Amino acid sequence: MKSFKQTISMLLAVSMLASSIPAYAGATVTDMSDKVVSSLGFTDSIVTTSNITRGEFAQMLLNASSYKGKAGSAVFYRKFSDVGADTAYASAINLAASQGWMTGYLDGTFKPTQPVKLREAVYGVLALLGYTNADFTGDQTAGRTSMYYAKELDDGLSLLNMDSAMTLTNCKDLLYNVLKADTKNGSMYGKLFDCELDSDGEINYMKLADNNITGPVRVTESKDIGKILPFSEKNATYIFDGEVGQNQDYNSVDTDDIVYYSTKTRTVWVYQDNRSSGTVTGIAYDNSSSMTPVAVYVDGTRYNLTTEEMQYAFSTLGKVHVGDEITVVYDDNSTSGEDSSNYNYTLKGYLLDD
């Protein structure tokens, strides 16, 4: 029976994040919003990729609220003549109406399949931030529009007017801006989802993922990826051996793969090729300190130890010694065409036989 050393799980995941997430300095709002909003599950259950309907936007508001995962459909109260119990997004529509995020029409309808307009979306997100009609005197629409610009919720949506139909990308940009905005009470809305801002004033995606990483977990025939993940395996970003999968998804995860996952960001890190099993044939120490190992050799292949956690694990105080049978997972920093005897591998984690 084999088990990973739990103490290095966070290190491994963060390292994989660093190698797979592009730097966002200078990136557009849309680049970041797509990653963060999708990862937080705000677009779960949304199938449209063009103009978002009012029903779909109600679902997005639910997903971006404290009610996410709590709005049941066992009890149904008909609020609108065109929204029955079997209407798509019925629970979200009723919740959005009851919470004051969205309103229906004077004829008693909601028009769930009608494209949502920017002014309706602004009404909804300002309600998420805690604002009600009482906070706007005079012209309600003008007051909300001013608040929309004052809170910089228009970042990435500057080409739209208040009657523009909202696309999926528009909605992601708007919800991303909401995460960065302060609520009526003065706290950043994104804190509801453990979001923090980086030095550029954007959501720190790496920190968001770092706070919610689980693993390592070995995929088996009896416990496949669908049973391991607490969210749908179909709605996740997969990173294979440090690379974002190209035409790779949950179907590419095989038995004996080693996975880590983030529930918050719905990201799954998979080790397939960058792993090797064998016997520890040697541990190399720093010339200046006999207590600090700098590399471990497994069947003669060198894996560099660059972190305190890995150095400790292979030191005289650790539990791994020459002769032990282990499986290692690593980053391959070798250059193309490099001689195999000089491959540059950095150890990220290991599996030690009990």
Side-chain angles (χ1 to χ4, degrees), residues 283 285 290-293 309-321 350:
I283 298 175
Y285 286 82
S290 61
M291 295 295 292
T292 305
E309 288 85 351
M310 290 296 95
Q311 289 169 349
Y312 179 85
F314 289 87
S315 71
T316 57
L317 301 176
K319 294 184 178 181
V320 186
H321 308 287
Y350 65 91

Side-chain angles (χ1 to χ4, degrees), residues 321-334:
H321 308 287
V322 173
D324 287 340
E325 296 292 326
I326 65 173
T327 295
V328 295
V329 291
Y330 57 90
D331 279 347
D332 185 354
N333 304 309
S334 308

Side-chain angles (χ1 to χ4, degrees), residues 271-290:
Y271 268 114
Q272 291 184 327
D273 295 332
N274 289 8
R275 66 181 185 184
S276 180
S277 299
T279 303
V280 177
T281 53
I283 298 175
Y285 286 82
D286 187 344
N287 290 334
S288 64
S289 173
S290 61

Side-chain angles (χ1 to χ4, degrees), residues 13 15-24 31 34-35 39 205-206 236-250 252-253 265-274 331:
S15 174
M16 286 187 281
L17 272 171
S19 65
S20 60
I21 299 175
Y24 283 103
D31 292 334
D34 179 62
K35 190 71 174 178
S39 296
Y205 178 77
M206 290 183 67
T237 297
Y238 288 83
I239 299 174
F240 291 82
D241 296 312
E243 299 291 337
V244 176
Q246 296 295 326
N247 300 319
Q248 290 181 303
D249 56 17
Y250 64 96
S252 302
V253 181
T265 63
R266 284 178 169 76
T267 302
V268 182
W269 295 269
V270 185
Y271 268 114
Q272 291 184 327
D273 295 332
N274 289 8
D331 279 347

Side-chain angles (χ1 to χ4, degrees), residues 178-192:
V178 169
L179 287 172
K180 298 188 294 179
D182 285 342
T183 66
K184 179 180 176 180
N185 294 328
S187 61
M188 190 180 89
Y189 187 78
K191 289 183 177 179
L192 178 64

